[in-house]
Amino acid sequence: MSSLFHSQSDYERLALLDQKHVWHPFTQMKQYNEESPLIIERGEGIRLFDLEGRSYFDGFSSVWLNVHGHNVPELNEALAAQMQRVAHSTLLGMANVPSIELAAQLAAISPAGLTKVFYSDSGATGVEIALKMAYQYWYNNGMPGKKSFITMKDAYHGDTIGAVSVGAIPLYHEVFRPLLFPSHTVPYPNGYRHPDGPDGAMAETLSALESLLQEHGAGIAALIVEPVVQGASGIIVMPEGCLSAIAGLCRRYDVLLIADEVATGFGRTGRMFACGHENVAPDLMIVGKGLTGGYLPVAATLATERVYNAFYADYEEQKTFFHGHSFTGNPLGCAVALESLRLMRERSIVESVDAKGHFVAQRLSPLLDRPHIGDIRYKGLMLGIELVANKRTKEPYHWNERIGVLVARRARDLGMLTRPLGNVIVFIPPLVSTDSELADMADILSEAVIDVTERGWRP
Ligand SMILES: *Cc1c(COP(=O)(O)O)cnc(C)c1O
């Protein structure tokens, strides 16, 4: 394959340039530069290959994006076909073909009522749009006082300043606090960490939310939530019924519900959207990551007619939504997204996810007897393994031990890539992974965890 044409000196040249010029996201560069970088050269199916031709399972879907695997002929062809027509033209005051087709399809597969599609280019920008829409919705309706937001403890909604303002992961967000607008926070129900388990966690969330709404509802524009699975906080799965109860409270207190489906959308949790588990119909919904099958940066914020109509007026009324991005509605990305959705239908991908998730959990279940496995939780193909220093007391590993990083490092040596969230090992494989591939990846995961937590493996 093409990697044979890369010599050792190619690797060294690129590694040097990487170190010299690339500033990597969410990465302490001093630490990164102490090791030889992993440089990916190509992908095939659910595997990635580095410059030296070593193969790795993509055990985290290249950060939770990938649906159909890499280098997929159908997606490549859709991209090439669109490229022959036009790579980009703007949606500012005009339209292009693939973005229209895609908007209609998104409206058709989304929870009831979400008929309007506003495009952007990342999850974070999609969140910004939802926040601004929610705020201006009330403003345009003559209620500018409804301007604050409710978020959930340990929420992650992206890294732009608005998204960080409704973010609640202290490690990422605290330093920026002086730049942010304040938000209200209610607990996300974490059954493993709550003294009264999932039921207690859910009761606590709902009662905190209800008191907050009673006291401050008149000043609140919207609640934003990662539905059913809170991802970046460590793959926390909501108890059943919690999302619909949250939605009910928002309705009752006249607060918009924003569902951030950036991670959970497009089949990841076993439904097209996680809201579908409980038939929840949000007022605004953000999608990204898997929208293009993980190929290209396209995101979208979907809105109901009710939200849209608050902006629909004569120009002089000044109710326009003044927001947009250079690449809003990019035709290449939209064409690939359309083909990705077609493949999902043709291959019944969403329908296969529940069974695959159960299969993986079953394969990993012997781990539950090991001394440092606190919890294994999952919904569909979104799975987290929480490692603990002490299983009985659930005492976490000290962050300084970087236990998750060590396990991911060991998994890489064993042939699988993933990236931890603190002490939680993440397993989010491409949705097309076969049972035999899932079994191989789960076995690598088990071995890596045991090597690091019991056998003292260190790089
Ligand atoms: C990844 C993620 C985002 C941010 O998306 P980007 O494309 O990285 O900006 C927002 N919300 C959730 C729930 C996510 O998982």
Side-chain angles (χ1 to χ4, degrees):
M1 297 297 300
S2 57
S3 57
L4 293 179
F5 298 108
H6 291 281
S7 60
Q8 179 61 22
S9 63
D10 243 343
Y11 176 83
E12 275 157 19
R13 184 180 65 84
L14 287 165
L16 209 66
L17 289 176
D18 178 49
Q19 189 172 116
K20 208 166 160 195
H21 295 297
V22 182
W23 190 344
H24 291 261
F26 277 95
T27 301
Q28 174 44 259
M29 292 308 297
K30 179 160 189 286
Q31 196 165 37
Y32 177 87
N33 287 339
E34 281 162 7
E35 283 194 48
S36 307
L38 172 65
I39 305 178
I40 297 300
E41 195 250 348
R42 66 192 177 89
E44 193 68 52
I46 68 158
R47 288 181 175 79
L48 292 167
F49 296 82
D50 68 15
L51 261 185
E52 286 142 310
R54 271 185 300 255
S55 146
Y56 307 90
F57 285 117
D58 188 352
F60 67 148
S61 294
S62 295
V63 193
W64 317 5
L65 311 169
N66 196 280
V67 176
H68 307 283
H70 298 280
N71 203 357
V72 183
E74 293 86 350
L75 298 180
N76 294 355
E77 278 159 30
L79 178 58
Q82 181 57 42
M83 226 147 48
Q84 310 288 316
R85 300 194 177 94
V86 64
H88 187 70
S89 75
T90 185
L91 290 202
L92 270 66
M94 56 175 106
N96 69 53
V97 177
S99 68
I100 300 173
E101 303 273 17
L102 180 59
Q105 288 207 18
L106 288 175
I109 60 173
S110 291
L114 293 167
T115 54
K116 303 294 180 182
V117 178
F118 196 104
Y119 288 109
S120 60
D121 44 34
S122 68
T125 52
V127 167
E128 297 291 328
I129 289 161
L131 298 175
K132 288 172 79 175
M133 274 181 182
Y135 164 77
Q136 196 180 341
Y137 166 82
W138 295 109
Y139 181 92
N140 285 356
N141 276 324
M143 285 184 267
K146 277 176 86 68
K147 61 182 168 61
S148 59
F149 293 89
I150 303 176
T151 184
M152 304 193 72
K153 187 170 175 290
D154 296 322
Y156 177 79
H157 297 291
D159 298 322
T160 52
I161 290 295
V164 171
S165 295
V166 291
I169 299 185
L171 175 66
Y172 305 161
H173 300 147
E174 212 39 49
V175 61
F176 299 110
R177 195 56 56 199
L179 305 183
L180 309 177
F181 58 75
S183 297
H184 303 280
T185 306
V186 296
Y188 198 95
N190 183 335
Y192 175 65
R193 287 283 166 199
H194 197 281
D196 301 320
D199 291 346
M202 174 162 152
E204 185 189 4
T205 293
L206 295 177
S207 82
L209 177 57
E210 180 140 34
S211 327
L212 180 64
L213 288 167
Q214 273 166 358
E215 202 178 334
H216 297 288
I220 291 169
L223 175 145
I224 182 165
V225 62
E226 293 162 80
V228 182
V229 184
Q230 193 177 48
S233 62
I235 317 293
I236 313 296
V237 181
M238 276 186 176
E240 229 176 284
C242 193
L243 183 66
S244 57
I246 289 171
L249 285 170
C250 288
R251 288 283 168 279
R252 179 127 57 90
Y253 289 89
D254 214 12
V255 158
L256 298 179
L257 177 64
I258 305 173
D260 178 350
E261 293 258 11
V262 173
T264 50
F266 304 102
R268 179 52 66 189
T269 71
R271 298 290 180 277
M272 184 53 88
F273 298 103
C275 283
H277 287 286
E278 303 193 5
N279 282 319
V280 163
D283 301 285
L284 291 156
M285 180 173 92
I286 306 127
V287 296
K289 292 196 167 103
L291 170 56
T292 59
Y295 252 54
L296 286 164
V298 179
T301 305
L302 282 89
T304 58
E305 300 281 330
R306 174 190 166 201
V307 170
Y308 178 82
N309 286 337
F311 296 77
Y312 200 81
D314 290 329
Y315 188 75
E316 301 73 45
E317 286 187 60
Q318 301 190 354
K319 290 184 169 178
T320 306
F321 188 53
F322 286 111
H323 187 109
H325 300 280
S326 305
F327 286 100
T328 294
N330 175 251
L332 295 177
C334 291
V336 171
L338 279 165
E339 182 61 11
S340 171
L341 290 175
R342 194 190 67 74
L343 288 179
M344 289 181 90
R345 282 193 304 275
E346 182 182 279
R347 299 175 181 174
S348 302
I349 285 175
V350 180
E351 294 76 2
S352 74
V353 170
D354 266 341
K356 288 179 182 179
H358 296 318
F359 174 81
V360 171
Q362 186 63 34
R363 188 88 179 186
L364 291 172
S365 61
L367 277 182
L368 287 166
D369 299 328
R370 314 298 305 200
H372 295 287
I373 305 295
D375 194 21
I376 300 181
R377 47 192 178 241
Y378 71 102
K379 196 84 182 171
L381 282 174
M382 205 169 175
L383 182 141
I385 303 172
E386 181 162 342
L387 306 178
V388 286
N390 183 318
K391 191 163 179 154
R392 192 178 47 78
T393 63
K394 303 184 180 179
E395 188 198 332
Y397 279 100
H398 193 268
W399 63 270
N400 240 338
E401 294 188 55
R402 302 177 63 241
I403 199 80
V405 173
L406 288 171
V407 171
R409 191 53 231 283
R410 179 63 181 147
R412 177 175 140 186
D413 287 351
L414 296 171
M416 187 183 85
L417 302 178
T418 186
R419 189 178 161 88
L421 297 159
N423 298 335
V424 176
I425 309 306
V426 169
F427 185 55
I428 302 188
L431 300 187
V432 291
S433 307
T434 63
D435 279 1
S436 110
E437 290 168 332
L438 290 169
D440 288 348
M441 289 188 280
D443 293 350
I444 290 175
L445 216 52
S446 298
E447 193 176 336
V449 165
I450 294 168
D451 281 351
V452 171
T453 60
E454 297 180 39
R455 299 180 183 137
W457 180 90
R458 294 298 177 267

